Amino acid sequence: MLANKTIVLGITGGIAAYKAADIASKLTQAGARVEVVMTESATKLITPLTIGTITQTKVVTDMFEPTSEYSLEHITLAEAADVVVIAPATANTVAKLAAGIADNMLTSTVLATKAPVIIAPAMNDNMFQNPVTQDNLAKLKARGFTIVDPAYGRLVSGKTGWGRLAEVETIIGTIKQVLGKKGDLAGKRIVVTAGGTLEPIDPVRHIGNRSSGKMGYAVAEAARDRGATVALITAPTSLPEPVGIEVVPVQTASQMKEAVAKAVAKADALIMAAAVADYQPKAVAEAKIKKAAPTLTLELVRTPDILTEVKGNFLKVGFAAESEDVVANAKQKLQKKQLDLIIANDITSAESGFGVDTNKVAIIDRDGKVDNLPLLTKREVAEKILDKVVELLGKKAGR
Ligand code: CTP
């Protein structure tokens, strides 16, 4: 989604300026055109040569550069931008923007742009907490700027506090979220589940499965990037928490059911990518089970079937992890669970299903239409599922 987008990256003179090189690199690698504007103090901390070599674009630093090829460069950049991102933003630049001051190329560009502006402040914690800085940030927020709050951690002063530049992934996630606001899922609420539920046996053991959560997270992020408001109900995974998504952590199938039931109020679609345990131990031992007899029998009882039990006027999308008769079994599940769509995947293939980054699926709708997709990344599969969701939501609205 960053491909062919023009991102104006503003770098100001905070010690975190070096991290802007990483941001510029990741955005460029994702296919964006990154136009960089640095304040004079930023150039003392990281050179325009470093940044320009990464982005392969001309870095602008001086408003009055006599050799400049564009005489009104701030206007050109302001108009070309799909989004303006300032990372790091110093207290000084934040104050100037709040006051409408345009005394350098960056502040002039921001004043002249109609594109959304994202500010990632980074500074000493006292400067950040100073009421004047907080007032300035609140003013910018009220004017529609997106603020990526700084993180807590070690600061250059040696102290720990709030003021570190947010993680690069958080800043990039916010850029995607802001760019996605005009996407085809804008105004829609999508609930996604992910990961494999864990059913406790005793305080230290559980029954689990091999789901990594990657498919569900890819669906949630793709929906966010297309403008949806997303709630992600997730069983434990080792994936980083996605930005701009309401994340509800759960462990068991019962907890997932409760969280889904709450989240689907006003939802347009529920996409159940989670691998929900079908059985749970009948009783959870209060103390750790000691090793004694040569065999141990656990009595298991059925968990709630979330897709079947959760009711409402939203699209229901299920997954069918199958090891044989993939399409036929998936069609049966679609019927039985009264779904609008089912995504069938063959978990016996090494490059598809659990744990890996790719998936080979068939998307089956209510009318029995089967769309066999080639091997794709999970993100690509997510986009295909959402294409179908958009189509079905459109039909539903037209009825
Ligand atoms: N699912 C659910 N609640 C459960 C079990 C599964 O909502 N207790 C959902 C899954 O998230 C998935 C779909 O139902 O979207 C199908 O899951 P799957 O495990 O393939 O099917 P089951 O109904 O559990 O049938 P079986 O295990 O017998 O194949």
Side-chain angles (χ1 to χ4, degrees):
M1 74 161 313
L2 294 171
N4 304 318
K5 292 284 191 301
T6 300
I7 300 177
V8 171
L9 174 63
I11 309 175
T12 70
I15 198 68
Y18 73 95
K19 293 184 185 165
D22 194 18
I23 300 173
S25 168
K26 294 217 161 83
L27 293 174
T28 307
Q29 282 176 43
R33 179 175 174 80
V34 184
E35 300 282 0
V36 181
V37 185
M38 295 174 75
T39 61
E40 201 189 329
S41 28
T43 65
K44 307 251 160 61
L45 294 153
I46 182 161
T47 73
L49 180 63
T50 308
I51 302 286
T53 308
I54 290 169
T55 58
Q56 292 293 302
T57 50
K58 185 172 142 300
V59 174
V60 189
T61 50
D62 184 355
M63 265 227 280
F64 305 105
E65 193 187 323
T67 57
S68 171
E69 50 187 300
Y70 319 101
S71 51
L72 282 170
E73 200 147 23
H74 60 291
I75 306 291
T76 320
L77 282 176
E79 283 177 354
D82 288 303
V83 61
V84 178
V85 188
I86 308 181
T90 55
N92 185 41
T93 292
V94 167
K96 285 184 191 174
L97 295 178
I101 293 170
D103 65 343
N104 62 30
M105 193 63 178
L106 179 59
T107 47
S108 305
T109 304
V110 173
L111 200 60
T113 195
K114 288 197 167 142
V117 182
I118 300 170
I119 311 261
M123 61 196 73
N124 162 277
D125 59 339
N126 289 342
M127 288 169 89
F128 178 64
Q129 266 148 14
N130 193 309
V132 73
T133 304
Q134 290 298 319
D135 281 356
N136 288 333
L137 287 168
K139 255 188 213 164
L140 292 176
K141 211 171 177 175
R143 279 185 216 144
F145 286 48
T146 302
I147 314 294
V148 188
D149 288 331
Y152 186 85
R154 191 179 178 282
L155 302 166
V156 218
S157 60
K159 286 201 301 179
T160 37
W162 292 99
R164 276 174 72 88
L165 183 68
E167 293 297 326
V168 169
E169 290 310 328
T170 308
I171 295 170
I172 291 180
T174 308
I175 296 173
K176 289 182 180 169
Q177 191 192 0
V178 166
L179 285 172
K181 284 207 173 121
K182 284 184 251 147
D184 55 4
L185 283 172
K188 302 287 184 228
R189 177 171 165 83
I190 311 279
V191 178
V192 183
T193 65
T197 63
L198 302 179
E199 309 301 329
I201 298 170
D202 70 13
V204 292
R205 303 182 179 94
H206 56 243
I207 300 174
N209 63 67
R210 287 178 45 220
S211 168
S212 65
K214 285 180 177 171
M215 192 62 241
Y217 276 58
V219 172
E221 287 174 11
R224 170 203 66 195
D225 293 350
R226 291 167 76 151
T229 305
V230 182
L232 174 65
I233 296 157
T234 177
T237 73
S238 55
L239 302 171
E241 184 165 314
V243 182
I245 288 176
E246 178 199 341
V247 177
V248 184
V250 295
Q251 280 227 324
T252 65
S254 301
Q255 289 168 358
M256 185 170 274
K257 185 193 154 194
E258 221 170 278
V260 169
K262 251 192 222 153
V264 289
K266 297 204 187 119
D268 295 283
L270 165 65
I271 305 179
M272 284 284 304
V276 186
D278 291 327
Y279 290 92
Q280 66 193 38
K282 187 171 181 194
V284 181
E286 267 175 40
K288 185 179 166 212
I289 299 173
K290 289 300 229 182
K291 172 170 67 201
T295 62
L296 171 73
T297 307
L298 282 176
E299 191 180 351
L300 305 179
V301 293
R302 288 281 296 271
T303 54
D305 191 304
I306 304 172
L307 265 178
T308 310
E309 292 182 23
V310 174
K311 309 265 186 247
N313 184 28
F314 45 82
L315 290 184
K316 276 187 178 181
V317 182
F319 277 70
E322 304 291 346
S323 49
E324 54 198 354
D325 298 332
V326 179
V327 169
N329 279 334
K331 278 186 173 170
Q332 248 178 29
K333 270 182 202 167
L334 179 139
Q335 284 295 335
K336 203 174 86 196
K337 302 195 184 198
Q338 286 291 300
L339 307 180
D340 296 281
L341 278 184
I342 193 149
I343 321 304
N345 66 338
D346 182 349
I347 51 166
T348 57
S349 150
E351 60 219 330
S352 191
F354 289 135
V356 293
D357 290 322
T358 50
N359 213 352
K360 190 169 178 333
V361 305
I363 302 183
I364 306 166
D365 67 15
R366 265 195 126 108
D367 304 330
K369 195 174 146 236
V370 182
D371 193 0
N372 274 304
L373 301 178
L375 186 70
L376 297 172
T377 63
K378 286 189 171 168
R379 174 63 186 232
E380 288 164 338
V381 171
E383 300 289 358
K384 296 279 185 200
I385 297 168
L386 294 176
D387 287 347
K388 196 74 192 177
V389 166
V390 168
E391 184 193 315
L392 293 182
L393 285 175
K395 275 192 194 158
K396 206 172 154 201
R399 272 208 294 270

